[in-house]
Amino acid sequence: MLKLTIGPILYYWPREQVQRFYTSVAESDADAVYLGETVCPKRRELKLEDYMAQAHQLREAGKEVVLSTMTLLESPADLRELRRYCDNGEFALEANDIGAVGLLREAGLPFVAGAAINCYNPQTLRQLVQFGMQRWLMPVELSREWLSEILSHPDIEDIRSSFEVEVFGFGHLPLAWSARCFTARSENRPKDQCDLCCIKYPSGRPVYNQEGERLFVLNGIQTQSGDRYNLVTEVPHMAGLVDAVRLSPEPEGTLEWLVRFRAASRGEAQARAEQDVNGYWHKMAGIVQVA
């Protein structure tokens, strides 16, 4: 059966909001949960010890737990924190930077390769499997056709059973990261004196074009798609190709959409919200809505 996973929270939420969310996730039908800060090391409402406590509670509720690591490593402190995650001794990790892949390979530990790992050909995919990758989150801008082709490539066919394929199926797409903090800049603050202003934008800060259309969402150093990506209507067509679908947490409604994705995995017809998009999955522009 198709697994449904809850990705790491990409936004900066107060500690109490995070804890309430994961209490609800523990009672949900999610199969796996990703925990950890992946965007900005200054976001410290929860520390590794807090995530470990949360991981234990989720595991007791029957969930698979994966600890997610930073996407852009910028300092020795980031590397030290990464090593602490790698040395947790209990839970698998999602590597979002190739530096994490290197550390996990050296330690002989299995890992999930996040979408920020540049993997666009069968040779790279095979190499990641040889390094210890057990699940691969496909880059968000790629299509079903591309996925089918790469999985049927001779370099992959003989190792296909060695790893799971996960697809980002719900949420604002994480498109790019930068050393600059766009949210701080939008408030005329320098990055080093941001006052953690991201916490004022629990679903990011939208950016509009001159026609008044939402073009992007600013989330600290991360740029997201302006429209929400939603593959709930595509779930029935993923059988035999995709093993897991990821839902990215939003301030409201995430677990209600989880229920709808589960229904779709059973073959029950579902509909996207009118403003949601799915273009990339169909090898088209990401802002396109395909019926």
Side-chain angles (χ1 to χ4, degrees):
M1 181 178 292
L2 189 70
K3 291 183 179 179
L4 296 180
T5 71
I6 301 295
I9 297 172
L10 300 181
Y11 307 109
Y12 191 26
W13 293 353
R15 178 188 181 92
E16 294 76 16
Q17 183 177 357
V18 173
Q19 292 176 331
R20 287 196 304 270
F21 177 75
Y22 285 123
T23 297
S24 298
V25 170
E27 300 170 353
S28 76
D29 196 27
D31 298 297
V33 185
Y34 293 82
L35 298 174
E37 177 58 48
T38 66
V39 178
C40 178
K42 297 177 72 174
R43 299 176 177 181
R44 290 289 179 236
E45 286 287 296
L46 278 76
K47 298 181 174 61
L48 175 58
E49 293 74 16
D50 300 311
Y51 284 120
M52 289 294 289
Q54 200 74 68
H56 289 141
Q57 295 173 8
L58 288 164
R59 185 171 60 183
E60 290 173 3
K63 313 301 181 188
E64 174 194 350
V65 178
V66 180
L67 299 179
S68 293
T69 62
M70 290 291 298
T71 302
L72 186 61
L73 301 173
E74 298 185 80
S75 69
D78 292 346
L79 288 172
R80 288 193 296 270
E81 187 70 4
L82 172 60
R83 289 191 176 93
R84 292 185 66 215
Y85 273 76
C86 293
D87 294 339
N88 80 87
E90 293 187 71
F91 300 100
L93 263 69
E94 178 187 36
N96 290 303
D97 181 277
I98 200 66
V101 172
L103 287 177
L104 292 164
R105 179 196 179 195
E106 291 174 5
L109 297 173
F111 62 90
V112 177
I117 300 294
N118 290 332
C119 180
Y120 295 99
N121 59 65
Q123 292 76 28
T124 301
L125 185 56
R126 186 178 185 90
Q127 189 74 76
L128 288 171
V129 172
Q130 293 172 349
F131 286 169
M133 183 191 75
Q134 293 190 338
R135 183 181 297 155
W136 170 52
L137 180 62
M138 181 181 77
V140 298
E141 73 274 20
L142 299 180
S143 67
R144 184 189 192 282
E145 178 182 334
W146 182 91
L147 178 61
S148 179
E149 289 178 358
I150 197 171
L151 293 180
S152 60
H153 192 279
D155 284 346
I156 301 301
E157 282 185 314
D158 64 321
I159 60 168
R160 175 64 185 90
S161 61
S162 302
F163 67 97
E164 294 181 334
V165 173
E166 185 174 7
V167 168
F168 189 105
F170 177 84
H172 289 266
L173 294 169
L175 299 175
W177 292 259
S178 171
R180 297 178 181 273
C181 178
F182 303 114
T183 304
R185 184 67 184 88
S186 72
E187 292 198 354
N188 294 316
R189 301 173 184 268
K191 181 181 179 181
D192 293 338
Q193 300 173 23
C194 67
D195 291 336
L196 300 175
C197 59
C198 286
I199 206 163
K200 297 189 294 185
Y201 308 103
S203 55
R205 190 166 195 183
V207 175
Y208 298 89
N209 61 20
Q210 291 182 337
E211 286 72 38
E213 302 166 329
R214 187 166 60 181
L215 187 61
F216 296 115
V217 170
L218 303 182
N219 178 37
I221 67 168
Q222 183 186 72
T223 301
Q224 299 180 338
S225 62
D227 294 318
R228 188 175 65 186
Y229 198 58
N230 192 336
L231 297 183
V232 69
T233 59
E234 316 304 325
V235 167
H237 311 294
M238 293 182 180
L241 189 66
V242 175
D243 302 298
V245 176
R246 178 178 298 198
L247 283 72
S248 186
E250 297 191 333
E252 297 180 358
T254 306
L255 299 185
E256 286 79 0
W257 277 103
L258 177 71
V259 172
R260 297 177 67 173
F261 270 80
R262 181 64 75 195
S265 72
R266 296 193 296 263
E268 301 174 19
Q270 301 294 314
R272 297 189 315 273
E274 183 178 349
Q275 70 275 16
D276 290 348
V277 298
N278 61 357
Y280 281 144
W281 184 249
H282 295 277
K283 203 176 179 180
M284 302 179 73
I287 62 174
V288 170
Q289 299 174 344
V290 179

